[in-house]
Amino acid sequence: METAPDVRRLTAVLMADIVGYSALMGADQNATMDALRQLRGGLFNPIVDQHRGSITKSMGDGWLVEFPSISDAVACAVAIQTSLIDHETIRLRMGIHIGEVVFEAGDVFGDGVNVAARLEALAEPGQVLISDTAVNSLDQKTAALFQGGTAQKLKNIERPVGVWSWPEHQPFKATTDTKASGSAERPAIAVLAFDNLSGDREQEYFSDGITEDIITDLSKVGSLLVISRNSSFVYKGKTPDIRQVGRELGVSHVLEGSIRRAADRIRVNAQLIDTQTGAHLWAERYDRKISDIFAVQDELTRCIVDALKLKLTTAEHKRIGAVPTANPQAHDLFLRGREAVLSSANTKEMFELALRCFNRAIELDPDYAEPYAGLGHAYTREFQNKWLGIPNSLEHSQRFVDTALQKDPEMPYAHYLNGINKFWRGEQAASHAAIERALSLNPNYAMAIGMRGINAVNSGTPLDGIPDLERALQLEPRAGHLYTHFMGMAYLLAQDFDTAIARFTERIEASPGTDLSRGLMISALGHLGRVEDARKMRDELRGINPDYSFSEHVGRLPLTDASVTDMLLDGYAKAGLDD
């Protein structure tokens, strides 16, 4: 296996740690885990996103977060600490430094990390400590909010470091001078599921697919925070108060609309609404031929950008204006196939439907990249589920993914699938690189965020993957059952068997045909000595797949530690069951 070179860059690093984590877990583990889930999904992750941060590492009781500027890091830290002042359970310590970091073998090192970690350890609950290097990089207005500057000798840091503090009681107002601070608060938008007015429920895939394409196009605008479909589709089929949507999703604007399709014509109505006032900032109706659907999406995206007074970069102009195919029937087939391959009905029938749709789309337009990626996705699912019993499904998948990337090197979907395939091949560094590339093209790509979490689950520190899996679950309901499965696996590998069983139970309810979730649940039950429950689960498993072999299935998992495989097999054996 080829070793990936290390990556070095100068960046702003924030280290955050939960105060008294062990004591909290010891006092009430379930309540603490619930509080942490709410903290991650409802506060920490969204605020990090709003300030252009990237959670590089999660340690269960803490985070390492990167930012493109020190102003972003400071504004994010203070916003989080301010939000937690009245929290009943969770308090955080934070340290910030700007310096070189090194990414190597799935981990991160360097001066930026070391100094930030030492500052975080010095901080009081609710406090933010930053280095002299960091404070000297801030504009004067923001730097004036910090006190101190006394040089201190930090453990394993050669030079003395001047330490500056922001106490929790001191108010903070981020500067609006983007030239000085390098950070202006981005507008945030949610795209609600467009109503299908075609009078045919069979067209639901089309209205949902177009809505998802609009979300994807808007996600390419770096100065705009876009809520993914898991959050926005909660309101599908409802008539919510837009102001309430704004409060619940934390967005400044909502896009809503409808789609009517008849023969070769399409009518799209869309309106952009300010969630603070409920006022319509912009509205438009498009009556076009179905062949103009990409032009409609392009115009709609640019109108929203203009209404929000944003400026597109040259790269964003190019990405938004790209037309993947000139054949509307091929695009329609791709939408059908994508709906099938992402369906929670994880069945051979859905797999075969996806193959028919993608192959027919390619017949109609051999240069259309997305159906090749769709075939890659379908064969990856076949590799995992063995519907056809062929030995080389992963090779089929990689061939189609490579073709997709040749035809469109900037397709996030194809880079994500490339990351999946490298994951199953055990090439963790290459998988991580592919996933990071997908996220660089679409930072709100839920499936790629989930895959980053899955990589962490299998890398030897399973609980590090939980934040990304929870974030992905929040963003994308279609694949939610899969993320729930890997949460169960994370807790099983961490030997938290009760929590693992709870997650596997949720996954089985969402995807009744799953076999591996049942097999892993049997292992967890065996470790707890719940033999009768394990036997009932084995009966269910045999009913679904009479030829299922747990040892064979586990043997295909790309686990980095052989002792982990032994632990899984040992739990199954403790249930008193033959494989």
Side-chain angles (χ1 to χ4, degrees):
M1 187 186 304
E2 192 173 308
T3 302
D6 59 17
V7 178
R8 298 169 181 263
R9 62 172 174 261
L10 186 70
T11 191
V13 178
L14 181 153
M15 295 288 292
D17 178 73
I18 298 168
V19 177
Y21 176 76
S22 298
L24 290 170
M25 290 291 284
D28 192 334
Q29 177 175 308
N30 291 335
T32 300
M33 292 303 296
D34 287 341
L36 289 180
R37 290 188 194 98
Q38 293 173 14
L39 170 67
R40 293 184 187 118
L43 191 151
F44 194 96
N45 291 353
I47 293 178
V48 167
D49 288 345
Q50 289 167 15
H51 292 86
R52 302 190 296 165
S54 175
I55 299 176
T56 302
K57 192 172 183 180
S58 176
M59 290 77 75
D61 62 341
W63 300 265
L64 188 161
V65 190
E66 276 189 274
F67 294 86
S69 78
I70 192 63
S71 298
D72 287 326
V74 167
C76 177
V78 178
I80 291 171
Q81 294 289 44
T82 301
S83 298
L84 287 174
I85 288 175
D86 296 321
H87 198 284
E88 295 180 357
T89 308
I90 305 298
R91 306 298 297 281
L92 300 180
R93 299 184 182 92
M94 293 186 178
I96 299 174
H97 180 57
I98 185 167
E100 185 179 73
V101 297
V102 182
F103 296 85
E104 182 181 7
D107 208 343
V108 56
F109 314 90
D111 177 73
V113 176
N114 296 338
V115 175
R118 297 308 175 200
L119 293 172
E120 174 267 312
L122 284 177
E124 295 294 328
Q127 191 176 42
V128 180
L129 296 185
I130 69 173
S131 66
D132 48 3
T133 306
V135 81
N136 289 336
S137 301
L138 291 170
D139 63 278
Q140 292 183 357
K141 187 175 181 181
T142 306
L145 298 169
F146 287 80
Q147 302 172 348
T150 303
Q152 298 195 38
K153 183 68 175 71
L154 305 180
K155 183 178 179 181
N156 296 330
I157 306 298
E158 290 186 7
R159 70 172 182 88
V161 176
V163 179
W164 297 77
S165 67
W166 177 84
E168 63 182 30
H169 61 268
Q170 184 169 326
F172 175 81
K173 292 184 179 179
T175 176
T176 56
D177 183 353
T178 58
K179 292 182 180 179
S181 70
S183 174
E185 188 172 343
R186 291 183 291 172
I189 187 171
V191 182
L192 303 189
F194 276 36
D195 293 329
N196 169 30
L197 301 184
S198 301
D200 180 4
R201 287 193 61 82
E202 290 295 319
Q203 293 296 316
E204 201 78 13
Y205 78 90
F206 185 77
S207 58
D208 285 355
I210 297 303
T211 306
E212 187 163 350
D213 284 347
I214 292 170
I215 291 172
T216 299
D217 281 347
L218 288 171
S219 295
K220 297 171 184 175
V221 181
S223 55
L224 181 63
L225 180 66
V226 184
I227 301 298
S228 295
R229 60 171 288 156
N230 182 50
S231 297
S232 59
F233 271 47
V234 167
Y235 306 96
K236 182 177 169 63
K238 303 175 183 178
T239 54
D241 181 278
I242 295 302
R243 297 179 189 182
Q244 181 180 352
V245 173
R247 290 192 296 270
E248 292 177 354
L249 298 184
V251 296
S252 55
H253 300 83
V254 162
L255 180 71
E256 63 176 10
S258 63
I259 295 177
R260 184 187 299 277
R261 181 181 181 183
D264 66 342
R265 303 291 300 182
I266 184 172
R267 172 178 290 178
V268 178
N269 285 290
Q271 44 271 341
L272 181 67
I273 305 170
D274 186 314
T275 60
Q276 293 293 317
T277 64
H280 285 62
L281 302 181
W282 165 86
E284 188 60 81
R285 185 177 77 178
Y286 303 90
D287 281 302
R288 303 285 181 83
K289 290 183 178 180
I290 193 72
S291 58
D292 292 332
I293 185 59
F294 295 116
V296 170
Q297 291 174 195
D298 181 38
E299 285 182 39
L300 193 153
T301 300
R302 293 178 191 277
C303 285
I304 292 170
V305 168
D306 289 343
L308 298 177
K309 296 180 173 59
L310 303 175
K311 291 185 178 180
L312 297 177
T313 66
T314 302
E316 289 167 349
H317 271 293
K318 180 181 177 182
R319 289 173 189 164
I320 292 171
V323 177
T325 179
N327 190 309
Q329 188 179 353
H331 179 58
D332 185 85
L333 285 161
F334 170 71
L335 294 182
R336 285 181 183 269
R338 184 174 65 182
E339 188 79 12
V341 82
L342 294 177
S343 171
S344 60
N346 193 31
T347 63
K348 181 180 179 181
E349 290 71 26
M350 296 304 286
F351 165 73
E352 291 174 337
L353 172 61
L355 291 189
R356 290 196 298 272
C357 291
F358 293 140
N359 279 314
R360 178 57 180 152
I362 290 169
E363 288 176 10
L364 293 171
D365 183 356
D367 291 325
Y368 185 14
E370 289 182 318
Y372 291 99
L375 284 172
H377 199 171
Y379 276 104
T380 298
R381 297 288 294 274
E382 201 289 323
F383 166 77
Q384 296 162 348
N385 293 279
K386 299 299 181 185
W387 291 305
L388 302 182
I390 59 177
N392 57 347
S393 49
L394 201 59
E395 285 74 15
H396 281 306
S397 174
Q398 190 63 53
R399 186 176 74 252
F400 287 122
V401 169
D402 289 343
T403 303
L405 287 172
Q406 288 169 9
K407 293 179 180 297
D408 184 358
E410 294 196 343
M411 189 200 309
Y413 184 34
H415 284 290
Y416 154 73
L417 293 167
N418 192 32
I420 288 183
N421 287 349
K422 296 298 189 290
F423 164 82
W424 284 112
R425 293 174 184 274
E427 301 173 22
Q428 287 198 344
S431 177
H432 180 75
I435 294 302
E436 289 299 328
R437 176 61 176 149
L439 289 171
S440 73
L441 295 167
N442 185 345
N444 289 324
Y445 195 176
M447 291 192 295
I449 293 170
M451 192 62 220
R452 187 167 61 186
I454 292 169
N455 267 327
V457 170
N458 289 273
S459 67
T461 54
L463 294 184
D464 286 356
I466 294 294
D468 274 332
L469 292 170
E470 289 181 339
R471 179 67 170 156
L473 183 62
Q474 180 187 23
L475 295 175
E476 182 54 74
R478 288 179 174 179
H481 64 94
L482 182 62
Y483 303 139
T484 303
H485 165 83
F486 278 100
M487 285 185 204
M489 188 170 177
Y491 287 112
L492 175 57
L493 297 185
Q495 301 190 37
D496 181 352
F497 302 120
D498 287 313
T499 305
I501 289 168
R503 297 290 85 80
F504 288 135
T505 299
E506 292 176 15
R507 202 279 167 120
I508 292 168
E509 289 175 353
S511 181
T514 177
D515 48 20
L516 182 55
S517 289
R518 285 184 168 86
L520 292 173
M521 187 168 173
I522 290 170
S523 178
L525 290 167
H527 279 293
L528 292 176
R530 294 170 56 180
V531 175
E532 188 60 35
D533 290 335
R535 288 175 178 168
K536 290 179 181 178
M537 186 58 59
R538 175 57 190 267
D539 289 341
E540 287 185 20
L541 184 52
R542 281 180 169 163
I544 293 167
N545 186 352
D547 300 323
Y548 180 78
S549 168
F550 182 66
S551 59
E552 180 183 330
H553 208 156
V554 169
R556 297 202 301 268
L557 300 177
L559 298 167
T560 58
D561 187 347
S563 66
V564 173
T565 302
D566 293 339
M567 183 274 290
L568 296 176
L569 296 175
D570 184 49
Y572 205 92
K574 285 180 179 179
L577 301 172
D578 295 330
D579 187 19

